[in-house]
Amino acid sequence: MTMAEGDLAVAQLAFVRRATIAPQPPPATMTGAIGWLRANLLSTPFNITLTLIIALLLAWVIPELLRFLILDAVWTGVDRNACLESVQHREIGACWPFVREWLPYFIYGSYPIPLRWRVDVFFIMLAIGIVWLLWLNAPRRDIGTVFFFVVLPIASFILLSGWAAIGLQPVDTVLWGGALVTIVVASVGIVFSLPLGILLALGRRSRMPAVRTLSVMFIEFVRGVPLVTVLFMASVMLPLFVPEQYSPDKLLRALIGIAIFASAYMAEVVRAGLQAIPKGQYEGAMAVGLGYWQMMRLIILPQALRITIPNIVNTYIGLFKDTTLVFIVGIFDLLRTIEVARIDPKWATPVTSTTGYVVAAIFYLIFCYAMSRYARAMEARLARGDRR
Amino acid sequence: MNVAENSGSLLKPAKLNTAVAVEITDLNKWYGDFHVLRDISLKVMGGERIVICGPSGSGKSTMIRCINRLEEHQSGHIVIDGVEVTADLKKIDEIRREVGMVFQHFNLFPHLTVLENCTLALIWVRKMPKKQAEEIALHYLDRVKIPEQAGKYPGQLSGGQQQRVAIARALCMNPKIMLFDEPTSALDPEMVKEVLDTMVALAHDGMTMLVVTHEMGFARQVANRIVFMDEGQIVESNVPEEFFAHPQHERTKLFLSQILH
């Protein structure tokens, strides 16, 4: 029997599945190393070109770096002769003995040598505080938070500047320097800028005109002025208005300047996050009876800060590097101590400056990269609970 | 989506008590120049279930959002259980504790688990110990039939489940009045019924409900009264049988002819 044309048409339109298709593994070109290469490095002609260019760049830079930092580097010596091409009759890379001799200065500045254990204790306490605060599975994080925000600042202040009453010889902040100053300035900026920035951001979005206007004026004024100017004003102009004996310490003034400066930027970062939270979240929070501060603390800020983490850390990284500007008001941060050391006649060679700057680069790279990695990890962790 | 397929399951008469739950008198509201609510007056008795319907932009959502002060009104009075809604923050907080609200887009807190969504207000507003709050939350999650989802995040649930969590979250505060702002409009069709069933069950328990919805089956089954709004005014208000059988106003007739095919 032959099928009529009409039957054929019906047969094509109607369809009922009789057997379920079981899932099958993907083709080999999608998995394993080859699949990864194809997907990530060689997917399009443009991508292939990029891959080639980057490969060439790496091939050019990495051997140079290795040569300078390790292969041709000088590891021992007592003065500049060890690092001079004309004396050694070979290619000279980094001059590490120079760094070894000056390293204590890079770390402590002119902090009195017998008292440097106090700085070490500060570094250790800070490291404990940071790990306790940032490691999300750490035990008793509530105590850790109190330690970081209350105990640590007070203890560090007493420890570093000294307190004669309990037998700690006072150390003028003029003597502080190097990594110590960089870390103190950055920590103070980082710790104070976030809460201040949050308050300013909330103020800028407030329904109260006075609060809003003040916040806007503060943010726009500080953002409209270069950090160098803020620091200058803090250290040069303030003493003009305040009598000498009441004038706060020079480092303290710079710290306040940096904290104010960073908080204005932070405010805008946080505001962007607040604006990204849908209106429904505010309404949901209000409808269950939460007050303004409860709503902000429990509902809005946790979500707003989460989506702003990359920008907050970006601001922190910028702030960390901006601390080098305190040299302009005569404070010896790490970079400034390196500047001082590199013109030491005892070590004056063509490679001394480069070596010093390499130390600075490594120092800043480690800190900034750590911040960046931590932010990535946080984002990944938070993203798990956020499959909207 | 007809919940009430036969009229035998009609839920009337409601066990009305004599107390006035919500009294709105001469309510007016403007968005800028736009007169969105015009001389609205509505009296809702305790245990009464009001369905508010009307074309979009007619002001129905705005009206129920005025009740818990998510919107400010410019003139007229709203009295909830003897407390007038004014700019007084203390009174607003008091009212919001007594009035539960369910939104079109659920408005669950995505960074908190289902259980935490429900316990949040108990812990922070009612100042209840966490343990007790969790017991209450689980009780209501059980009532909306999703106790097993307590540990999940809202984003892991279907729309219908999320809306039921939102209902449970509102119920946890033991409200006297529940406001529903188009609770099923954002749901996929196959999820509407589970939410409506939950609301029907709530109606059976005698909850005072104001529901903005286009679910006419639900209105027929559950409502004591249907309020039809257009252009910021209450155009017609009647018991469901009369409302559907004998609409009086031209606008109501047109509206019904458009939504009941």
Side-chain angles (χ1 to χ4, degrees):
Chain A
M1 202 169 91
T2 54
M3 208 181 260
E5 241 172 63
D7 288 343
L8 190 65
V10 169
Q12 281 170 342
L13 286 173
F15 170 78
V16 179
R17 177 168 301 289
R18 302 291 177 199
T20 312
I21 302 170
Q24 284 160 3
T29 47
M30 265 179 71
T31 54
I34 297 168
W36 186 88
L37 277 177
R38 282 173 68 123
N40 293 293
L41 299 181
L42 309 167
S43 56
T44 62
F46 178 66
N47 204 342
I48 293 170
T49 319
L50 274 185
T51 304
L52 279 176
I53 292 173
I54 290 167
L56 286 174
L57 263 178
L58 289 178
W60 178 51
V61 169
I62 289 178
E64 277 296 304
L65 268 181
L66 280 180
R67 191 193 62 72
F68 183 83
L69 293 180
I70 296 167
L71 299 178
D72 288 351
V74 177
W75 298 91
T76 53
V78 289
D79 59 16
R80 64 195 290 261
N81 287 330
C83 301
L84 274 180
E85 216 169 305
S86 52
V87 177
Q88 300 296 323
H89 303 295
R90 69 171 178 99
E91 289 266 302
I92 298 289
C95 184
W96 297 124
F98 154 72
V99 174
R100 185 174 307 155
E101 184 167 316
W102 280 93
L103 193 61
Y105 184 66
F106 294 162
I107 297 174
Y108 306 99
S110 308
Y111 209 89
I113 293 169
L115 303 178
R116 283 182 182 177
W117 62 270
R118 279 154 54 174
V119 178
D120 294 335
V121 173
F122 161 70
F123 284 147
I124 292 167
M125 286 201 310
L126 183 67
I128 292 173
I130 288 173
V131 170
W132 205 347
L133 191 72
L134 298 189
W135 181 32
L136 298 179
N137 298 323
R140 296 312 303 268
R141 292 186 66 222
D142 49 342
I143 301 179
T145 311
V146 174
F147 174 76
F148 190 85
F149 287 103
V150 181
V151 179
L152 188 64
I154 297 172
S156 310
F157 178 75
I158 293 172
L159 201 58
L160 291 175
S161 49
W163 189 11
I166 57 168
L168 285 175
Q169 187 190 328
V171 180
D172 196 311
T173 55
V174 172
L175 300 174
W176 301 17
L180 167 65
V181 159
T182 294
I183 287 171
V184 164
V185 174
S187 310
V188 169
I190 284 171
V191 167
F192 282 92
S193 64
L194 187 58
L196 282 177
I198 289 173
L199 286 179
L200 284 169
L202 292 178
R204 190 164 189 169
R205 284 171 61 81
S206 166
R207 294 172 70 181
M208 289 176 274
V211 175
R212 190 171 59 233
T213 312
L214 278 177
S215 304
V216 170
M217 278 168 53
F218 180 90
I219 293 168
E220 294 305 333
F221 177 73
V222 176
R223 283 204 313 162
V225 174
L227 177 56
V228 175
T229 316
V230 175
L231 290 173
F232 254 130
M233 278 176 22
S235 65
V236 180
M237 285 178 64
L238 196 65
L240 296 181
F241 303 112
V242 184
E244 186 67 38
Q245 63 270 34
Y246 298 119
S247 170
D249 177 87
K250 185 165 74 176
L251 181 63
L252 182 63
R253 275 179 270 152
L255 286 177
I256 293 171
I258 291 233
I260 285 175
F261 188 78
S263 61
Y265 278 87
M266 197 54 81
E268 289 302 280
V269 167
V270 173
R271 187 168 70 98
L274 289 175
Q275 271 168 347
I277 302 301
K279 203 167 151 242
Q281 290 294 308
Y282 291 87
E283 291 178 350
M286 286 192 279
V288 294
L290 295 180
Y292 176 81
W293 291 106
Q294 285 178 332
M295 170 174 80
M296 285 302 166
R297 189 163 61 85
L298 300 168
I299 305 299
I300 306 302
L301 283 174
Q303 297 184 63
L305 293 182
R306 165 184 311 178
I307 52 177
T308 6
I309 285 175
N311 289 331
I312 290 176
V313 174
N314 190 33
T315 308
Y316 279 168
I317 289 174
L319 169 66
F320 189 81
K321 293 182 293 184
D322 277 352
T323 58
T324 51
L325 286 173
V326 296
F327 87 88
I328 214 148
V329 291
I331 294 168
F332 282 69
D333 76 311
L334 175 73
L335 197 61
R336 186 77 191 123
T337 56
I338 289 172
E339 288 283 332
V340 170
R342 77 184 180 87
I343 52 171
D344 175 15
K346 185 183 165 195
W347 288 98
T349 71
V351 292
T352 307
S353 296
T354 318
T355 308
Y357 290 137
V358 163
V359 172
I362 292 172
F363 175 86
Y364 286 104
L365 188 67
I366 288 171
F367 278 86
C368 295
Y369 189 66
M371 283 192 252
S372 163
R373 288 307 305 180
Y374 180 76
R376 287 289 300 275
M378 275 294 273
E379 275 177 69
R381 186 189 161 102
L382 292 168
R384 264 181 278 154
D386 193 29
R387 276 167 283 175
R388 280 195 242 198
Chain B
M1 271 130 283
N2 264 333
V3 174
E5 259 149 30
N6 54 21
S7 51
S9 70
L10 287 189
L11 241 180
K12 282 160 259 152
K15 295 161 279 179
L16 295 189
N17 51 38
T18 47
V20 179
V22 180
E23 182 158 20
I24 302 175
T25 14
D26 298 331
L27 184 70
N28 278 283
K29 175 172 175 60
W30 288 263
Y31 285 129
D33 288 339
F34 180 54
H35 197 173
V36 60
L37 293 179
R38 308 178 196 172
D39 287 338
I40 301 281
S41 291
L42 183 69
K43 195 168 175 180
V44 183
M45 306 301 284
E48 216 181 349
R49 300 174 295 272
I50 310 282
V51 162
I52 301 148
C53 60
S56 59
S58 59
K60 39 192 201 311
S61 289
T62 309
M63 183 186 83
I64 69 164
R65 287 157 59 86
C66 283
I67 292 175
N68 65 349
R69 195 69 175 189
L70 289 183
E71 302 281 354
E72 265 175 54
H73 57 274
Q74 277 81 39
S75 76
H77 302 276
I78 304 174
V79 179
I80 312 292
D81 211 32
V83 184
E84 173 152 15
V85 183
T86 60
D88 184 347
L89 286 176
K90 267 220 169 73
K91 283 192 176 158
I92 294 173
D93 284 345
E94 200 179 315
I95 286 162
R96 283 177 181 161
R97 262 173 264 155
E98 304 303 330
V99 179
M101 183 151 192
V102 175
F103 299 88
Q104 182 177 4
H105 296 288
F106 330 133
N107 296 358
L108 293 175
F109 308 130
H111 62 302
L112 302 177
T113 63
V114 164
L115 189 65
E116 287 165 345
N117 264 278
C118 294
T119 56
L120 185 86
L122 290 174
I123 292 171
W124 293 97
V125 180
R126 294 254 193 256
K127 312 287 178 201
M128 197 178 271
K130 194 174 170 210
K131 197 131 200 157
Q132 198 186 344
E134 285 180 351
E135 274 170 30
I136 292 177
L138 282 172
H139 168 75
Y140 284 106
L141 286 173
D142 195 47
R143 252 183 71 178
V144 301
K145 303 197 172 61
I146 37 174
E148 72 282 358
Q149 312 284 7
K152 290 196 183 162
Y153 286 92
Q156 294 167 287
L157 306 186
S158 73
Q161 290 173 323
Q162 291 192 45
Q163 193 60 297
R164 284 186 283 151
V165 172
I167 293 173
R169 178 176 76 179
L171 290 178
C172 281
M173 291 293 280
N174 195 20
K176 295 199 177 94
I177 301 158
M178 284 283 284
L179 309 175
F180 292 83
D181 187 3
E182 306 205 23
T184 57
S185 308
L187 296 177
D188 288 337
E190 71 264 35
M191 291 168 186
V192 170
K193 186 171 181 298
E194 61 186 63
V195 171
L196 290 182
D197 284 348
T198 309
M199 290 165 64
V200 171
L202 198 58
H204 271 290
D205 294 341
M207 176 64 76
T208 310
M209 296 163 75
L210 279 88
V211 186
V212 173
T213 185
H214 297 119
E215 298 294 335
M216 288 302 127
F218 173 82
R220 224 186 271 268
Q221 183 188 358
V222 166
N224 304 104
R225 207 160 16 129
I226 298 182
V227 172
F228 174 70
M229 288 181 70
D230 191 25
E231 295 183 332
Q233 304 149 66
I234 293 180
V235 173
E236 192 165 343
S237 162
N238 211 334
V239 294
E241 306 89 81
E242 284 298 305
F243 181 83
F244 289 112
H246 309 292
Q248 301 295 310
H249 198 281
E250 282 308 310
R251 199 62 196 81
T252 319
K253 287 177 192 168
L254 179 66
F255 179 75
L256 286 176
S257 74
Q258 280 164 338
I259 62 165
L260 304 171
H261 318 287

